Amino acid sequence: KAGVTQTPRYLIKTRGQQVTLSCSPISGHRSVSWYQQTPGQGLQFLFEYFSETQRNKGNFPGRFSGRQFSNSRSEMNVSTLELGDSALYLCASSPDVSPREQYFGPGTRLTVT
Amino acid sequence: ILNVEQSPQSLHVQEGDSTNFTCSFPSSNFYALHWYRWETAKSPEALFVMTLNGDEKKKGRISATLNTKEGYSYLYIKGSQPEDSATYLCAPYNNNDMRFGAGTRLTVKP
């Protein structure tokens, strides 16, 4: 089975722009979660989607949004980028909703200049 | 706010040593606890998902215990090997809120 894939792997944007990141879960997995990892804050939970519905949301501003499609693929969008949004964004999939075991993708490294 | 503490922050052991780390979390409204292993330049790898008080899980030389009443979990590695070198993260899930600890960085010297 193919693992979780994320695109793009690396991205450079400027302040004020918006960005969309994509995550394709393992085939058959219906839950996708997104995380942000920064040196200062560690790994933080952004949101979880299951069957196209947002199940949970972490403590992030409204500039961070996401969605899930009928094929379970998920996208995450960050609008009006700030320097502090520079981070590694990881997505993870699981067959069912939390607290099931999650499988992480390689991440997207976003740099905001 | 879900405060998750892991100790120690880092640990250096010799190959063959056994070691353990601690994850402390608020015990109220506990739902589940995840342990992950994160090697440099790789993705986090799920080790265990634990839900029941007194639960004990094992995968090879790695095992974990859970005490939901007092809010802690221990991760044990028996006979550490250099390939065990990684950051070990715990993530409790309470009240639909999942928080990660800062991790324990383990280095195993050959």
Side-chain angles (χ1 to χ4, degrees):
Chain A
K1 250 186 193 177
V4 178
T5 58
Q6 291 187 244
T7 57
R9 294 292 310 279
Y10 302 92
L11 200 51
I12 300 175
K13 290 283 189 178
T14 56
R15 276 180 298 177
Q17 287 187 312
Q18 74 163 20
V19 68
T20 299
L21 311 181
S22 180
C23 172
S24 292
I26 291 172
S27 177
H29 284 195
R30 297 164 64 194
S31 172
V32 174
S33 297
W34 288 89
Y35 301 89
Q36 181 198 63
Q37 200 255 348
T38 58
Q41 297 294 321
L43 197 57
Q44 296 184 87
F45 169 70
L46 279 156
F47 24 65
E48 177 185 14
Y49 285 88
F50 180 78
S51 293
E52 302 178 66
T53 301
Q54 187 180 89
R55 260 195 100 241
N56 292 306
K57 190 176 193 302
N59 190 25
F60 278 81
R63 299 185 297 107
F64 291 81
S65 63
R67 59 177 176 168
Q68 186 180 34
F69 302 95
S70 58
N71 61 358
S72 295
R73 189 177 71 85
S74 178
E75 287 182 348
M76 190 192 97
N77 185 276
V78 188
S79 61
T80 320
L81 283 165
E82 300 177 0
L83 294 178
D85 297 333
S86 295
L88 177 68
Y89 290 88
L90 292 163
C91 85
S93 76
S94 63
D96 207 335
V97 296
S98 300
R100 302 295 181 186
E101 189 169 284
Q102 295 185 316
Y103 299 83
F104 280 82
T108 295
R109 173 74 64 184
L110 171 65
T111 302
V112 181
T113 62
Chain B
I1 295 178
L2 193 61
N3 294 317
V4 184
E5 295 183 5
Q6 289 190 249
S7 62
Q9 281 189 330
S10 66
L11 197 53
H12 294 252
V13 302
Q14 288 295 135
E15 182 176 354
D17 287 350
S18 293
T19 186
N20 64 85
F21 331 128
T22 305
C23 172
S24 300
F25 53 88
S27 56
S28 59
N29 299 307
F30 173 85
Y31 189 61
L33 180 94
H34 296 245
W35 277 102
Y36 293 94
R37 172 190 141 93
W38 198 354
E39 287 182 73
T40 305
K42 292 188 178 180
S43 306
E45 173 196 350
L47 288 173
F48 306 113
V49 180
M50 309 177 81
T51 55
L52 300 175
N53 184 45
D55 213 1
E56 183 169 343
K57 298 218 171 179
K58 190 175 180 183
K59 189 182 282 190
R61 294 179 292 98
I62 304 176
S63 61
T65 60
L66 178 66
N67 184 321
T68 61
K69 293 184 178 178
E70 295 181 39
Y72 65 84
S73 176
Y74 294 135
L75 187 81
Y76 302 91
I77 302 179
K78 185 178 178 182
S80 302
Q81 299 297 308
E83 57 265 30
D84 294 330
S85 297
T87 296
Y88 291 82
L89 297 168
C90 72
Y93 193 78
N94 298 44
N95 265 346
N96 285 335
D97 185 16
M98 184 173 180
R99 298 285 175 115
F100 283 82
T104 291
R105 184 165 185 80
L106 174 67
T107 305
V108 183
K109 301 174 186 176

